Amino acid sequence: MILESLILENFRPFRGRQEIVFSDYLENNITIIHGENGFGKTAILMALLWALYGRDGLVGTDIREDEFSKPERIINESLAFNAKDPTKVIASVQLTFKHDKVRYILTRSISLAQEQSDPNKTDLVLAKIENGQTLKLDNPKNRIQTIVPQGISNFLFFNGERINYLAMEKNSAQVTQAIQQMLGLKLLQTTIEDLHHQNVRGKLRSELKEHASDDKKALIDERTKLLEEQQN
């Protein structure tokens, strides 16, 4: 996943439209954002997480309340306070990125009316750019989880001042799980565990017996008999 740009509109302290274009130079692909305390650096980090995972992304294990208080309030406070029609006051985050040589545009938005009724409900759109056309994709939440699972987000998007958090021994299990997810081993392990389940094994034996030759059916029956004797 290669980040290209981030557009904030009325997100927390950022009133109006603000855009960040990330460096795409192969040898100098670092973008530094500098600012005094309270000027919105953490809000940019939170905007990335909110765009990808919604409110769930703002309450991870590495996020303290004093870093991002009131995660249910996304819309710029001054706009929210002076709003006459809550349906027309909208905050959004648009993230453009590349993954496996495909360019995606992810947009998550919420109106003041939505925020007041249920801040967990947002409008999420994921599109890919292909042959000069922008194609809207189905099941955006599942697709995002495939590209960058939320289970590894704390190790990709984190406050640099708290990098020591990742090295604590008590978090070793989280690191292990994140590595397994990144390498696709988590799905493999789950599959292995499922195959050992009694119901799954029984179904596989039944299907095998149904399509097996007479010799194999005899072997399956003999094996079943031996297992029953062993259990007795």
Side-chain angles (χ1 to χ4, degrees):
M1 183 181 190
I2 301 174
L3 303 182
E4 293 190 340
S5 68
L6 181 70
I7 299 176
L8 312 178
E9 188 163 353
N10 301 328
F11 182 88
R12 297 289 291 212
F14 298 99
R15 181 168 179 170
R17 187 180 187 275
Q18 312 290 335
E19 182 175 4
I20 299 173
V21 178
F22 297 102
S23 173
D24 59 357
Y25 293 103
L26 294 179
E27 296 181 356
N28 299 295
N29 57 349
I30 296 176
T31 301
I32 297 177
I33 299 173
H34 174 73
E36 301 294 334
N37 290 339
F39 274 65
K41 298 189 301 296
T42 301
I44 294 174
L45 171 63
M46 295 301 100
L48 283 167
L49 290 168
W50 184 75
L52 290 167
Y53 311 112
R55 187 176 181 276
D56 290 343
L58 306 182
V59 291
T61 54
D62 193 28
I63 304 303
R64 299 178 302 186
E65 290 186 0
D66 59 336
E67 287 184 315
F68 197 74
S69 60
K70 300 178 180 177
E72 70 279 359
R73 297 185 181 179
I74 297 299
I75 296 174
N76 180 269
E77 286 188 0
S78 63
L79 284 176
F81 181 78
N82 296 301
K84 295 181 180 179
D85 185 350
T87 63
K88 294 183 179 180
V89 178
I90 297 173
S92 66
V93 176
Q94 183 181 96
L95 179 63
T96 303
F97 62 93
K98 283 183 180 178
H99 182 71
D100 288 342
K101 298 181 180 181
V102 178
R103 178 175 283 108
Y104 295 90
I105 300 176
L106 168 67
T107 305
R108 188 183 293 272
S109 61
I110 187 172
S111 69
L112 181 57
Q114 286 175 302
E115 184 179 276
Q116 292 172 342
S117 61
D118 187 354
N120 291 312
K121 292 183 179 180
T122 60
D123 296 323
L124 179 63
V125 177
L126 180 65
K128 69 175 181 179
I129 301 175
E130 192 173 65
N131 299 324
Q133 294 183 334
T134 303
L135 307 174
K136 185 178 177 180
L137 302 175
D138 296 330
N139 301 318
K141 184 176 180 179
N142 292 339
R143 290 178 183 270
I144 293 168
Q145 289 290 347
T146 301
I147 295 173
V148 52
Q150 189 172 351
I152 66 173
S153 63
N154 289 336
F155 305 95
L156 300 178
F157 307 100
F158 57 88
N159 189 332
E161 296 175 355
R162 299 191 63 216
I163 194 170
N164 60 316
Y165 171 90
L166 304 180
M168 294 181 180
E169 184 177 354
K170 66 179 183 179
N171 298 320
S172 60
Q174 295 182 32
V175 176
T176 301
Q177 187 176 21
I179 292 172
Q180 289 178 342
Q181 284 189 312
M182 292 178 70
L183 297 178
L185 300 179
K186 188 68 176 177
L187 179 60
L188 183 61
Q189 181 62 34
T190 302
T191 303
I192 293 173
E193 292 173 357
D194 288 344
L195 287 174
H196 281 87
H197 193 277
Q198 183 176 356
N199 292 340
V200 176
R201 295 175 68 179
K203 183 177 180 180
L204 289 174
R205 281 197 295 267
S206 297
E207 291 181 354
L208 179 61
K209 185 176 180 180
E210 182 180 350
H211 300 287
S213 62
D214 292 339
D215 293 340
K216 289 182 179 179
K217 287 180 180 179
L219 288 173
I220 293 172
D221 290 337
E222 183 179 354
R223 182 181 184 277
T224 301
K225 182 180 179 180
L226 289 173
L227 287 174
E228 290 175 352
E229 292 178 358
Q230 183 183 44
Q231 186 175 3
N232 293 332

